[in-house]
Amino acid sequence: MSTVPTARGSVPAAELGPTLMHEHIFVLSSELQQNYQLDWDEEERVADAVARLQAAYQRGVRTVVDVTALGQGRYIPRIARIAAQSPVNILVATGVYAYREMPPYFFYQGPGTLFGGPDPMTEMFIRDITEGIGDTGVRAAVIKAAHEDPELSPATEEILRASARAHLATGVPITTHTNSVVGNGNQVLDLLVAEGVDPSRVIIGHSGDTEDVDYLLRLIDGGCYLGMDRFGMDPIASLEQRIAIVAELVRRGHADRMVLSHDTCCFIDYLAADRRPELFPRWEYTHIHDDVIPALRRLGVTDADVHTMLVENPRRIFADGAESATGPAQGLVTAGPDAP
């Protein structure tokens, strides 16, 4: 039976249940937090995350995919501590989150760089997947990459190529941040496919930000999954717009090519905490179950279609790569010194 690594141990892919495929627990500016502790109280934030995940569990969520990568404040000991107190499976990611400039560590090392040597990024991704992240024993279940601009930057291109190499070595899926408003998802998919990645192992994230059906159909024709994964980000696209595009693609027979999520988090230091209720009042792990599913039903989306998008598609995405991403058994870890 295929198993998938989580922050508290491996679970059978068949038992992932309703899965939110693109979320975060925390998004943090690590150096700022280490120096200034901006709006941060460790115990308060951990307790709040556990409560938010418990609320999602009560609605029916069984798995959350935390796609926080390097560059977004990923700190796995804290995530494992939260996972130990939560009934929700938390899957974690490897990857580098950057749009235009390569982080200096990777800019100066590797083939063709100033200091040369082997490719540290691909090696790091593979180690995260097969051995575990740092000394936590928690293995990554997904690779995360980002592309925001109309054209690929050299940094984005190299991160995507490293992601492809790590995928080919391990079999785990690749999930992406893209900008569907400028329609750049095809650039990501084309590059990954050119590197040898099976498009069915790729999720083109934030596809629900657009109403351009033709753009989304081209992606589907390319063989990938669409991440309809920003429910609650109303300033970017309204709930009505997001529901309408999902319902239209379901009507056209494509429930089997979409996954649902919010791209939310328990805390993000980019946004002042007192402004979040004003700007993003529904941006919670519970929004899909509370508001989105009932609205989809009113537009003719069936419970079977919802099950396909929330259960069957995530199970298939992770089961298809689970056999390849083998490594030492995961141990449960407790948080070490506070470090965002």
Side-chain angles (χ1 to χ4, degrees), residues 115-315:
F115 300 135
D119 172 12
M121 192 184 302
T122 301
E123 290 183 358
M124 192 176 293
F125 294 172
I126 293 172
R127 185 167 63 248
D128 284 355
I129 294 162
T130 60
E131 299 179 20
I133 298 169
D135 60 0
T136 66
V138 175
R139 292 188 288 122
V142 65
I143 303 166
K144 167 76 173 295
H147 176 31
E148 175 67 13
D149 298 330
E151 300 297 332
L152 288 165
S153 69
T156 299
E157 184 172 342
E158 180 50 36
I159 292 167
L160 284 166
R161 294 190 192 282
S163 299
R165 291 190 290 266
H167 161 80
L168 293 173
T170 64
V172 304
I174 299 172
T175 192
T176 63
H177 164 109
T178 65
N179 185 340
S180 62
V181 175
V182 301
N184 66 13
N186 292 106
Q187 296 174 25
V188 171
L189 187 61
D190 290 349
L191 186 152
L192 292 173
V193 170
E195 289 290 311
V197 177
D198 181 337
S200 70
R201 312 296 296 127
V202 178
I203 304 165
I204 298 298
H206 311 334
S207 293
D209 290 354
T210 184
E211 296 178 282
D212 188 342
V213 175
D214 291 338
Y215 165 72
L216 297 176
L217 290 174
R218 287 195 298 274
L219 287 170
I220 290 173
D221 288 344
C224 66
Y225 287 89
L226 302 183
M228 315 305 276
D229 51 24
R230 276 184 161 176
F231 283 102
M233 278 197 178
D234 298 344
I236 295 175
S238 69
L239 173 60
E240 293 73 23
Q241 176 182 320
R242 293 183 187 279
I243 291 168
I245 195 66
V246 170
E248 176 61 19
L249 291 173
V250 169
R251 187 187 69 79
R252 294 178 183 233
H254 299 304
D256 63 341
R257 306 314 298 175
M258 290 184 284
V259 294
L260 306 179
S261 211
H262 309 89
D263 195 22
T264 191
C265 52
C266 302
F267 177 77
I268 177 170
D269 63 15
Y270 307 173
L271 174 65
D274 60 356
R275 302 260 353 249
R276 177 168 172 161
E278 168 197 349
L279 297 174
F280 302 98
R282 295 181 289 202
W283 200 35
E284 304 289 344
Y285 301 134
T286 54
H287 178 40
I288 285 174
H289 281 80
D290 286 352
D291 305 308
V292 174
I293 293 173
L296 287 171
R297 287 174 178 146
R298 290 193 290 272
L299 292 181
V301 176
T302 67
D303 288 346
D305 294 326
V306 171
H307 185 82
T308 295
M309 293 184 284
L310 276 178
V311 179
E312 292 300 323
N313 292 345
R315 178 199 57 75

Side-chain angles (χ1 to χ4, degrees), residues 67-89:
V67 297
T68 308
L70 298 175
Q72 296 181 297
R74 185 188 74 174
Y75 183 57
I76 298 302
R78 183 183 293 125
I79 300 304
R81 182 183 174 197
I82 292 166
Q85 301 175 60
S86 169
V88 176
N89 300 312

